[in-house]
Amino acid sequence: MKRDVEALLAIVSEEEARIVDEWLKESRVPEHQRSAAQGEATQVLRELRDALAAGADPAMLEDPRWAGLNHVLEALSSSRAAQGRTAGDTSRFVLAFKRPVLALAQRRHAGDAALLMDTVWVISSLVDQMAQHTVTTYQLTRESVIRRQQEELLELSTPVIKLWDGVLAVPMIGTLDSSRTQMVMESLLEKIVETESALAIVDITGVPTVDTLVAQHLLKTVSAIRLMGADCIISGIRPQIAQTIVHLGIDLEGIMTKASLADALGLALERTGHRIVKAA
């Protein structure tokens, strides 16, 4: 083991209590968070010590022997991301570890300039890598949260509604893309099987524009519905959308269309043998 690594290992092994105390002061942890932060700092310090004792290379945090420390840093970053705290908060907390360790190295090796310089470099390099690892983990965690929220929003924005016996409706709101169309088709086809419905109304009143791609997605949805033995009505065909469809040369022949959801429901009831009359 190199002299600088031995020096760092000696510091973190023999000065745990002092390092943790100075670390919390440097990071300015609020009093109500001090207990949790103290536990996090102690755990990080012990995993770092164990990895150094096992011969892990301080210049390579990818070394398998750093797995324990990486796991603790990831847990620390993920928990703070879930609390809504920024990547900078986590990074600053980890970087605050540097000052107390550097101060102890200076105190111990002031008479050996070469060893002190090497030890300072090892400490700085290692702590910087630790801070960068927490930032990367934070970003991955936030991306995961955002993806999950997007999926939940998609599910909420494409509900399958039972309007009448044998009649389903899917109100489309926003832009249609491939992933959303796939989700709509899956939900609608499952509901058709579950309710044994004969008609499905796809309402595009909330779709701002219809282009060739949107029309292709609609046609795919209609085809899938027909393959299940049901029929489809597209409602919400506004004058502007009708003109766009004509200009694009999109063929909707054979597909029932209506200007409004109310008109589509009236047609669906008629097709299923129902009639609505006013009470006397």
Side-chain angles (χ1 to χ4, degrees):
M1 186 181 293
K2 294 180 180 179
R3 291 177 65 213
D4 49 6
V5 178
E6 287 181 349
L8 175 56
L9 177 57
I11 292 171
V12 297
S13 299
E14 299 166 12
E15 303 282 359
E16 178 182 303
R18 180 179 294 182
I19 291 173
V20 170
D21 185 56
E22 293 297 324
W23 185 354
L24 297 182
K25 289 179 182 177
E26 181 66 23
S27 59
R28 298 178 183 176
V29 176
E31 192 60 35
H32 68 280
Q33 296 176 357
R34 186 176 179 84
S35 178
Q38 185 173 4
E40 293 171 341
T42 302
Q43 198 172 7
V44 168
L45 190 58
R46 289 177 180 174
E47 290 293 347
L48 187 150
R49 178 198 62 201
D50 292 345
L52 289 174
D57 185 354
M60 294 181 61
L61 211 59
E62 301 82 10
D63 188 321
R65 286 168 288 193
W66 289 113
L69 176 63
N70 285 332
H71 179 72
V72 171
L73 293 173
E74 289 162 9
L76 185 151
S77 185
S78 297
S79 66
R80 292 177 180 229
Q83 295 168 16
R85 299 169 71 176
T86 66
D89 289 337
T90 309
S91 180
R92 280 191 293 272
F93 176 73
V94 174
L95 289 171
F97 168 63
K98 190 184 293 188
R99 184 166 184 173
V101 181
L102 289 176
L104 288 168
Q106 184 177 26
R107 191 176 303 139
R108 287 184 171 217
H109 306 295
D112 190 338
L115 176 59
L116 177 59
M117 188 65 182
D118 290 342
T119 305
V120 167
W121 174 254
V122 166
I123 294 168
S124 297
S125 174
L126 179 57
V127 177
D128 289 346
Q129 289 182 78
M130 291 164 58
Q132 182 59 48
H133 188 69
T134 62
V135 171
T136 302
T137 302
Y138 179 92
Q139 291 172 338
L140 293 173
T141 302
R142 294 298 296 169
E143 287 171 6
S144 175
V145 170
I146 291 169
R147 278 196 301 272
R148 187 175 69 252
Q149 290 173 340
Q150 287 175 334
E151 291 170 359
E152 291 171 353
L153 284 172
L154 278 176
E155 292 175 0
L156 290 173
S157 63
T158 52
V160 180
I161 304 166
K162 183 177 179 180
L163 294 180
W164 203 268
D165 288 338
V167 181
L168 300 176
V170 181
M172 299 284 199
I173 300 172
T175 304
L176 284 178
D177 55 24
S178 299
S179 60
R180 190 169 180 207
T181 303
Q182 182 65 30
M183 182 175 292
V184 169
M185 281 197 293
E186 289 176 1
S187 301
L188 185 53
L189 296 181
E190 288 175 5
K191 201 72 173 178
I192 287 173
V193 173
E194 179 187 331
T195 60
E196 299 181 352
S197 296
L199 271 170
I201 300 172
V202 178
D203 183 65
I204 61 170
T205 304
V207 177
T209 57
V210 172
D211 55 18
T212 304
L213 187 60
V214 170
Q216 288 175 352
H217 291 320
L218 287 173
L219 292 174
K220 286 180 182 178
T221 303
V222 172
S223 298
I225 292 169
R226 286 176 170 175
L227 286 172
M228 295 299 297
D231 210 345
C232 181
I233 302 171
I234 298 178
S235 65
I237 304 293
R238 305 184 298 278
Q240 301 91 330
I241 288 181
Q243 291 178 29
T244 302
I245 290 173
V246 171
H247 290 156
L248 292 174
I250 298 167
D251 185 12
L252 295 181
E253 187 176 351
I255 300 174
M256 294 179 285
T257 60
K258 287 293 178 181
S260 68
L261 181 57
D263 293 338
L265 177 58
L267 176 59
L269 293 175
E270 182 182 328
R271 291 290 300 270
T272 55
H274 294 85
R275 186 177 62 175
I276 298 177
V277 296
K278 290 184 178 180

